[in-house]
Amino acid sequence: MIGAIAGDVIGSRYEFVQDFRRPKNFTLFTPACRPTDDSYMTLAVAKALVESGGDRDKLKAVVVGCMKEVAHAHPRTGWGARFARWLFTEEKSEPYNSFGNGAGMRISPVGWVAESEEEVKELSQIVTEVSHNHPEGLKGAEAVAMAVFLARTGKDKTEIRDRLAKYYPRLRDKYFTIENIYEKYGYDEMGMWVTCQGSVPQALVAFLDGKDFEDCIRNAVYIGGDSDTIGAMTGSVAEAYYGIPDDIKAKVMTYLTDDLLKIYEDFEKIKKPRVTEKR
Ligand SMILES: [Mg+2]
Protein backbone atom coordinates (compact mmCIF):
# COMPACT_ATOMS: atom_id res chain seq x y z
CA MET A 1 0.00 0.00 0.00
CA ILE A 2 2.84 2.43 0.70
CA GLY A 3 3.96 1.79 -2.89
CA ALA A 4 0.70 3.36 -4.12
CA ILE A 5 1.28 6.40 -1.94
CA ALA A 6 4.88 6.68 -3.18
CA GLY A 7 3.70 6.62 -6.80
CA ASP A 8 1.05 9.22 -6.07
CA VAL A 9 3.41 11.59 -4.24
CA ILE A 10 6.14 11.24 -6.89
CA GLY A 11 3.68 11.67 -9.78
CA SER A 12 1.68 14.48 -8.15
CA ARG A 13 3.69 17.39 -9.52
CA TYR A 14 3.20 16.08 -13.06
CA GLU A 15 -0.55 15.43 -13.08
CA PHE A 16 -1.71 16.49 -16.56
CA VAL A 17 1.44 18.49 -17.21
CA GLN A 18 1.69 18.18 -20.97
CA ASP A 19 5.45 17.95 -21.40
CA PHE A 20 5.45 14.90 -23.60
CA ARG A 21 9.22 14.55 -23.64
CA ARG A 22 9.72 14.40 -19.89
CA PRO A 23 13.11 12.83 -19.06
CA LYS A 24 13.03 9.50 -17.28
CA ASN A 25 15.71 10.65 -14.82
CA PHE A 26 13.47 13.38 -13.34
CA THR A 27 13.96 14.30 -9.66
CA LEU A 28 11.79 11.95 -7.60
CA PHE A 29 10.85 14.34 -4.81
CA THR A 30 10.56 18.13 -5.01
CA PRO A 31 8.74 20.69 -2.86
CA ALA A 32 5.83 20.49 -5.33
CA CYS A 33 5.13 16.84 -4.46
CA ARG A 34 2.21 16.00 -2.19
CA PRO A 35 -0.25 13.22 -1.43
CA THR A 36 -3.44 13.51 -3.50
CA ASP A 37 -6.80 11.72 -3.76
CA ASP A 38 -5.00 8.50 -4.75
CA SER A 39 -3.19 8.32 -1.40
CA TYR A 40 -6.24 9.39 0.58
CA MET A 41 -8.56 6.83 -1.00
CA THR A 42 -5.98 4.04 -0.75
CA LEU A 43 -5.74 4.76 2.97
CA ALA A 44 -9.55 4.92 3.22
CA VAL A 45 -9.82 1.43 1.72
CA ALA A 46 -7.13 0.19 4.12
CA LYS A 47 -9.02 1.72 7.05
CA ALA A 48 -12.25 0.06 5.94
CA LEU A 49 -10.56 -3.35 5.72
CA VAL A 50 -9.25 -2.88 9.26
CA GLU A 51 -12.54 -1.62 10.69
CA SER A 52 -14.77 -4.20 9.03
CA GLY A 53 -12.63 -6.94 10.57
CA GLY A 54 -13.16 -9.35 7.70
CA ASP A 55 -16.97 -9.02 7.81
CA ARG A 56 -18.05 -8.82 4.15
CA ASP A 57 -21.56 -7.72 5.05
CA LYS A 58 -20.20 -4.71 6.90
CA LEU A 59 -17.51 -3.77 4.42
CA LYS A 60 -19.68 -1.92 1.90
CA ALA A 61 -21.09 0.56 4.43
CA VAL A 62 -17.76 0.87 6.22
CA VAL A 63 -15.83 1.66 3.04
CA VAL A 64 -18.25 4.45 2.08
CA GLY A 65 -17.91 5.89 5.59
CA CYS A 66 -14.10 5.67 5.55
CA MET A 67 -13.81 7.29 2.10
CA LYS A 68 -15.93 10.20 3.29
CA GLU A 69 -14.16 10.48 6.63
CA VAL A 70 -10.67 10.62 5.10
CA ALA A 71 -11.81 12.96 2.30
CA HIS A 72 -13.52 15.36 4.70
CA ALA A 73 -10.32 15.50 6.78
CA HIS A 74 -8.30 16.25 3.61
CA PRO A 75 -10.69 18.06 1.26
CA ARG A 76 -8.17 20.24 -0.57
CA THR A 77 -6.81 18.03 -3.31
CA GLY A 78 -7.65 17.17 -6.90
CA TRP A 79 -10.88 15.20 -6.69
CA GLY A 80 -12.70 14.23 -9.87
CA ALA A 81 -15.84 16.37 -10.18
CA ARG A 82 -18.37 13.56 -10.00
CA PHE A 83 -16.56 11.75 -7.18
CA ALA A 84 -16.35 15.03 -5.25
CA ARG A 85 -20.17 15.26 -5.36
CA TRP A 86 -20.39 11.65 -4.17
CA LEU A 87 -18.02 12.44 -1.29
CA PHE A 88 -19.10 15.88 -0.20
CA THR A 89 -22.64 16.80 -1.21
CA GLU A 90 -24.76 13.70 -1.59
CA GLU A 91 -26.54 12.57 1.53
CA LYS A 92 -27.03 9.03 0.28
CA SER A 93 -24.14 8.40 -2.07
CA GLU A 94 -25.09 5.96 -4.81
CA PRO A 95 -22.84 4.32 -7.41
CA TYR A 96 -22.71 6.37 -10.60
CA ASN A 97 -21.55 3.90 -13.23
CA SER A 98 -18.02 5.28 -13.27
CA PHE A 99 -15.14 3.73 -15.20
CA GLY A 100 -12.70 6.35 -13.98
CA ASN A 101 -9.25 5.23 -12.90
CA GLY A 102 -10.14 6.10 -9.30
CA ALA A 103 -11.27 2.47 -9.18
CA GLY A 104 -7.71 1.23 -9.73
CA MET A 105 -5.70 3.72 -7.72
CA ARG A 106 -7.34 2.94 -4.37
CA ILE A 107 -7.64 -0.85 -4.50
CA SER A 108 -4.16 -2.10 -3.54
CA PRO A 109 -4.95 -2.89 0.14
CA VAL A 110 -7.29 -5.65 -1.11
CA GLY A 111 -4.32 -7.49 -2.62
CA TRP A 112 -2.56 -7.34 0.74
CA VAL A 113 -5.34 -8.91 2.83
CA ALA A 114 -6.92 -11.42 0.42
CA GLU A 115 -5.93 -15.06 0.96
CA SER A 116 -7.05 -16.31 -2.46
CA GLU A 117 -7.84 -15.08 -5.95
CA GLU A 118 -11.52 -15.63 -5.21
CA GLU A 119 -11.22 -13.33 -2.22
CA VAL A 120 -9.42 -10.70 -4.32
CA LYS A 121 -12.39 -10.68 -6.70
CA GLU A 122 -15.01 -10.54 -3.95
CA LEU A 123 -13.34 -7.76 -1.98
CA SER A 124 -12.52 -5.76 -5.11
CA GLN A 125 -16.16 -5.94 -6.20
CA ILE A 126 -17.48 -4.74 -2.82
CA VAL A 127 -15.00 -1.87 -2.52
CA THR A 128 -15.37 -0.72 -6.11
CA GLU A 129 -19.11 -0.96 -6.71
CA VAL A 130 -19.88 1.71 -4.11
CA SER A 131 -19.08 4.25 -6.83
CA HIS A 132 -17.32 2.75 -9.87
CA ASN A 133 -19.90 0.10 -10.82
CA HIS A 134 -19.40 0.29 -14.61
CA PRO A 135 -17.98 -3.04 -15.91
CA GLU A 136 -14.74 -1.27 -16.95
CA GLY A 137 -14.42 0.29 -13.49
CA LEU A 138 -14.91 -3.07 -11.79
CA LYS A 139 -12.45 -4.68 -14.23
CA GLY A 140 -9.78 -2.02 -13.73
CA ALA A 141 -9.92 -2.37 -9.96
CA GLU A 142 -9.85 -6.15 -10.07
CA ALA A 143 -6.90 -6.17 -12.48
CA VAL A 144 -4.82 -3.97 -10.15
CA ALA A 145 -5.87 -5.89 -7.03
CA MET A 146 -5.09 -9.20 -8.74
CA ALA A 147 -1.71 -7.90 -9.90
CA VAL A 148 -0.86 -6.92 -6.32
CA PHE A 149 -2.00 -10.33 -5.06
CA LEU A 150 -0.04 -12.30 -7.69
CA ALA A 151 3.08 -10.19 -7.10
CA ARG A 152 2.77 -10.47 -3.33
CA THR A 153 2.38 -14.24 -3.46
CA GLY A 154 5.53 -14.85 -5.49
CA LYS A 155 4.41 -15.18 -9.11
CA ASP A 156 6.97 -14.17 -11.72
CA LYS A 157 6.39 -11.51 -14.36
CA THR A 158 5.69 -13.98 -17.15
CA GLU A 159 2.84 -15.46 -15.18
CA ILE A 160 1.59 -12.08 -13.98
CA ARG A 161 1.53 -10.72 -17.54
CA ASP A 162 -0.29 -13.80 -18.76
CA ARG A 163 -2.93 -13.47 -16.05
CA LEU A 164 -3.40 -9.72 -16.52
CA ALA A 165 -3.79 -10.16 -20.28
CA LYS A 166 -7.10 -11.85 -19.51
CA TYR A 167 -8.29 -8.42 -18.38
CA TYR A 168 -6.41 -6.42 -21.03
CA PRO A 169 -5.41 -8.52 -24.07
CA ARG A 170 -3.16 -5.70 -25.35
CA LEU A 171 -0.67 -6.72 -22.64
CA ARG A 172 0.24 -9.59 -25.01
CA ASP A 173 1.09 -7.13 -27.81
CA LYS A 174 4.88 -7.02 -28.15
CA TYR A 175 4.64 -3.40 -29.32
CA PHE A 176 2.71 -2.30 -26.22
CA THR A 177 5.89 -1.36 -24.36
CA ILE A 178 6.70 1.54 -22.10
CA GLU A 179 9.02 3.07 -24.74
CA ASN A 180 6.28 2.98 -27.37
CA ILE A 181 3.72 4.41 -24.94
CA TYR A 182 6.21 7.20 -24.15
CA GLU A 183 6.33 8.09 -27.84
CA LYS A 184 2.57 8.24 -28.29
CA TYR A 185 0.60 8.41 -25.04
CA GLY A 186 0.29 12.14 -24.83
CA TYR A 187 -1.15 12.36 -28.33
CA ASP A 188 -3.36 9.60 -29.59
CA GLU A 189 -4.88 8.58 -26.28
CA MET A 190 -5.66 12.13 -25.21
CA GLY A 191 -8.91 12.26 -23.34
CA MET A 192 -8.64 8.64 -22.26
CA TRP A 193 -6.14 9.30 -19.52
CA VAL A 194 -8.51 9.26 -16.59
CA THR A 195 -10.41 6.12 -17.57
CA CYS A 196 -9.50 2.65 -16.40
CA GLN A 197 -9.28 1.52 -20.03
CA GLY A 198 -6.85 4.32 -20.89
CA SER A 199 -4.54 4.11 -17.88
CA VAL A 200 -4.66 0.74 -16.10
CA PRO A 201 -2.95 -1.18 -18.96
CA GLN A 202 -0.28 1.54 -19.14
CA ALA A 203 0.28 1.35 -15.38
CA LEU A 204 0.62 -2.43 -15.57
CA VAL A 205 3.16 -2.20 -18.41
CA ALA A 206 5.14 0.35 -16.38
CA PHE A 207 5.48 -2.39 -13.78
CA LEU A 208 6.06 -5.27 -16.21
CA ASP A 209 8.78 -3.36 -18.12
CA GLY A 210 10.49 -2.05 -14.96
CA LYS A 211 13.61 -3.55 -13.41
CA ASP A 212 13.15 -2.45 -9.79
CA PHE A 213 10.69 -0.40 -7.70
CA GLU A 214 12.14 2.97 -8.64
CA ASP A 215 12.42 2.09 -12.32
CA CYS A 216 8.73 1.06 -12.38
CA ILE A 217 7.69 4.39 -10.86
CA ARG A 218 9.86 6.28 -13.34
CA ASN A 219 8.21 4.33 -16.17
CA ALA A 220 4.77 5.24 -14.82
CA VAL A 221 5.50 8.93 -14.49
CA TYR A 222 7.66 9.71 -17.53
CA ILE A 223 5.06 8.52 -20.06
CA GLY A 224 2.81 11.47 -19.13
CA GLY A 225 -0.95 11.49 -18.61
CA ASP A 226 -2.59 11.18 -15.19
CA SER A 227 0.80 10.72 -13.57
CA ASP A 228 -0.12 10.54 -9.89
CA THR A 229 -2.83 7.94 -10.49
CA ILE A 230 -0.74 5.86 -12.90
CA GLY A 231 2.12 6.15 -10.41
CA ALA A 232 -0.17 4.93 -7.63
CA MET A 233 -1.34 1.90 -9.60
CA THR A 234 2.17 0.97 -10.76
CA GLY A 235 3.59 1.56 -7.28
CA SER A 236 0.92 -0.74 -5.82
CA VAL A 237 2.13 -3.69 -7.88
CA ALA A 238 5.83 -2.82 -7.77
CA GLU A 239 5.83 -2.77 -3.97
CA ALA A 240 4.15 -6.17 -3.84
CA TYR A 241 6.73 -7.57 -6.26
CA TYR A 242 10.00 -5.88 -5.23
CA GLY A 243 9.28 -4.31 -1.86
CA ILE A 244 9.99 -0.60 -1.50
CA PRO A 245 13.49 0.83 -0.91
CA ASP A 246 13.92 2.17 2.62
CA ASP A 247 14.93 5.66 1.49
CA ILE A 248 11.87 6.11 -0.73
CA LYS A 249 9.57 4.76 1.97
CA ALA A 250 11.07 7.04 4.64
CA LYS A 251 10.69 10.07 2.40
CA VAL A 252 7.08 9.24 1.51
CA MET A 253 6.15 8.83 5.17
CA THR A 254 7.16 12.46 5.79
CA TYR A 255 4.22 13.57 3.60
CA LEU A 256 1.63 11.82 5.77
CA THR A 257 -0.13 13.57 8.64
CA ASP A 258 -0.63 11.76 11.96
CA ASP A 259 -4.17 10.58 11.15
CA LEU A 260 -2.91 8.99 7.92
CA LEU A 261 0.12 7.43 9.62
CA LYS A 262 -2.25 5.85 12.15
CA ILE A 263 -4.25 4.24 9.33
CA TYR A 264 -1.01 3.01 7.76
CA GLU A 265 0.19 1.48 11.04
CA ASP A 266 -3.16 -0.18 11.77
CA PHE A 267 -3.18 -1.71 8.30
CA GLU A 268 0.39 -3.01 8.71
CA LYS A 269 -0.96 -5.24 11.52
CA ILE A 270 -3.54 -7.00 9.31
CA LYS A 271 -1.78 -7.21 5.95
CA LYS A 272 -0.42 -10.58 4.84
CA PRO A 273 3.30 -11.11 4.20
CA ARG A 274 4.83 -10.95 0.76
CA VAL A 275 6.95 -13.71 -0.71
CA THR A 276 10.49 -12.36 -0.83
CA GLU A 277 12.39 -15.10 -2.70
CA LYS A 278 14.14 -13.81 -5.76
CA ARG A 279 12.16 -14.32 -8.95
MG1 LIG B 1 -4.61 12.32 -7.73
PDB file of all heavy atoms in Angstrom, residues 6 43 58 67 69 84 95 183 211 233:
ATOM      1  N   ALA A   6       3.616   6.195  -2.588  1.00  0.00           N
ATOM      2  CA  ALA A   6       4.876   6.679  -3.184  1.00  0.00           C
ATOM      3  C   ALA A   6       4.648   7.112  -4.629  1.00  0.00           C
ATOM      4  O   ALA A   6       5.074   8.192  -5.050  1.00  0.00           O
ATOM      5  CB  ALA A   6       5.939   5.578  -3.115  1.00  0.00           C
ATOM      6  N   LEU A  43      -5.717   4.870   1.510  1.00  0.00           N
ATOM      7  CA  LEU A  43      -5.742   4.764   2.971  1.00  0.00           C
ATOM      8  C   LEU A  43      -7.159   4.537   3.482  1.00  0.00           C
ATOM      9  O   LEU A  43      -7.376   3.814   4.460  1.00  0.00           O
ATOM     10  CB  LEU A  43      -5.116   6.015   3.598  1.00  0.00           C
ATOM     11  CG  LEU A  43      -3.588   6.059   3.436  1.00  0.00           C
ATOM     12  CD1 LEU A  43      -3.053   7.480   3.538  1.00  0.00           C
ATOM     13  CD2 LEU A  43      -2.914   5.163   4.480  1.00  0.00           C
ATOM     14  N   LYS A  58     -20.432  -6.066   6.390  1.00  0.00           N
ATOM     15  CA  LYS A  58     -20.203  -4.706   6.904  1.00  0.00           C
ATOM     16  C   LYS A  58     -19.376  -3.855   5.950  1.00  0.00           C
ATOM     17  O   LYS A  58     -19.464  -2.630   5.958  1.00  0.00           O
ATOM     18  CB  LYS A  58     -19.450  -4.776   8.247  1.00  0.00           C
ATOM     19  CG  LYS A  58     -20.376  -4.954   9.438  1.00  0.00           C
ATOM     20  CD  LYS A  58     -19.640  -5.289  10.718  1.00  0.00           C
ATOM     21  CE  LYS A  58     -18.781  -4.289  11.348  1.00  0.00           C
ATOM     22  NZ  LYS A  58     -18.156  -4.812  12.587  1.00  0.00           N
ATOM     23  N   MET A  67     -14.180   6.387   3.206  1.00  0.00           N
ATOM     24  CA  MET A  67     -13.815   7.286   2.104  1.00  0.00           C
ATOM     25  C   MET A  67     -14.250   8.718   2.433  1.00  0.00           C
ATOM     26  O   MET A  67     -13.489   9.673   2.226  1.00  0.00           O
ATOM     27  CB  MET A  67     -14.463   6.822   0.792  1.00  0.00           C
ATOM     28  CG  MET A  67     -13.798   5.598   0.193  1.00  0.00           C
ATOM     29  SD  MET A  67     -14.674   5.042  -1.291  1.00  0.00           S
ATOM     30  CE  MET A  67     -13.728   3.571  -1.698  1.00  0.00           C
ATOM     31  N   GLU A  69     -14.878   9.975   5.457  1.00  0.00           N
ATOM     32  CA  GLU A  69     -14.159  10.484   6.633  1.00  0.00           C
ATOM     33  C   GLU A  69     -12.767  11.001   6.256  1.00  0.00           C
ATOM     34  O   GLU A  69     -12.373  12.113   6.647  1.00  0.00           O
ATOM     35  CB  GLU A  69     -14.047   9.355   7.665  1.00  0.00           C
ATOM     36  CG  GLU A  69     -13.438   9.790   8.982  1.00  0.00           C
ATOM     37  CD  GLU A  69     -13.241   8.597   9.921  1.00  0.00           C
ATOM     38  OE1 GLU A  69     -14.052   7.650   9.877  1.00  0.00           O
ATOM     39  OE2 GLU A  69     -12.265   8.640  10.690  1.00  0.00           O
ATOM     40  N   ALA A  84     -16.265  13.994  -6.285  1.00  0.00           N
ATOM     41  CA  ALA A  84     -16.352  15.026  -5.247  1.00  0.00           C
ATOM     42  C   ALA A  84     -17.810  15.197  -4.792  1.00  0.00           C
ATOM     43  O   ALA A  84     -18.084  15.356  -3.596  1.00  0.00           O
ATOM     44  CB  ALA A  84     -15.784  16.347  -5.763  1.00  0.00           C
ATOM     45  N   PRO A  95     -23.780   4.534  -6.307  1.00  0.00           N
ATOM     46  CA  PRO A  95     -22.839   4.319  -7.408  1.00  0.00           C
ATOM     47  C   PRO A  95     -23.276   5.089  -8.648  1.00  0.00           C
ATOM     48  O   PRO A  95     -24.475   5.281  -8.851  1.00  0.00           O
ATOM     49  CB  PRO A  95     -22.899   2.806  -7.650  1.00  0.00           C
ATOM     50  CG  PRO A  95     -23.890   2.235  -6.710  1.00  0.00           C
ATOM     51  CD  PRO A  95     -24.428   3.302  -5.846  1.00  0.00           C
ATOM     52  N   GLU A 183       6.336   7.375 -26.551  1.00  0.00           N
ATOM     53  CA  GLU A 183       6.328   8.091 -27.836  1.00  0.00           C
ATOM     54  C   GLU A 183       4.945   8.633 -28.180  1.00  0.00           C
ATOM     55  O   GLU A 183       4.821   9.660 -28.825  1.00  0.00           O
ATOM     56  CB  GLU A 183       6.775   7.138 -28.963  1.00  0.00           C
ATOM     57  CG  GLU A 183       8.238   6.739 -28.886  1.00  0.00           C
ATOM     58  CD  GLU A 183       9.165   7.938 -29.053  1.00  0.00           C
ATOM     59  OE1 GLU A 183       8.881   8.780 -29.909  1.00  0.00           O
ATOM     60  OE2 GLU A 183      10.164   8.019 -28.302  1.00  0.00           O
ATOM     61  N   LYS A 211      12.625  -2.587 -13.927  1.00  0.00           N
ATOM     62  CA  LYS A 211      13.608  -3.547 -13.405  1.00  0.00           C
ATOM     63  C   LYS A 211      13.758  -3.501 -11.887  1.00  0.00           C
ATOM     64  O   LYS A 211      14.379  -4.378 -11.297  1.00  0.00           O
ATOM     65  CB  LYS A 211      14.964  -3.376 -14.095  1.00  0.00           C
ATOM     66  CG  LYS A 211      15.614  -2.028 -13.964  1.00  0.00           C
ATOM     67  CD  LYS A 211      16.934  -2.043 -14.761  1.00  0.00           C
ATOM     68  CE  LYS A 211      17.811  -0.859 -14.470  1.00  0.00           C
ATOM     69  NZ  LYS A 211      17.211   0.441 -14.788  1.00  0.00           N
ATOM     70  N   MET A 233      -1.001   3.270  -9.197  1.00  0.00           N
ATOM     71  CA  MET A 233      -1.337   1.900  -9.601  1.00  0.00           C
ATOM     72  C   MET A 233      -0.072   1.081  -9.841  1.00  0.00           C
ATOM     73  O   MET A 233       0.038  -0.069  -9.388  1.00  0.00           O
ATOM     74  CB  MET A 233      -2.226   1.935 -10.855  1.00  0.00           C
ATOM     75  CG  MET A 233      -3.585   2.580 -10.569  1.00  0.00           C
ATOM     76  SD  MET A 233      -4.791   2.410 -11.910  1.00  0.00           S
ATOM     77  CE  MET A 233      -4.159   3.545 -13.130  1.00  0.00           C
TER      78      MET A 233
END
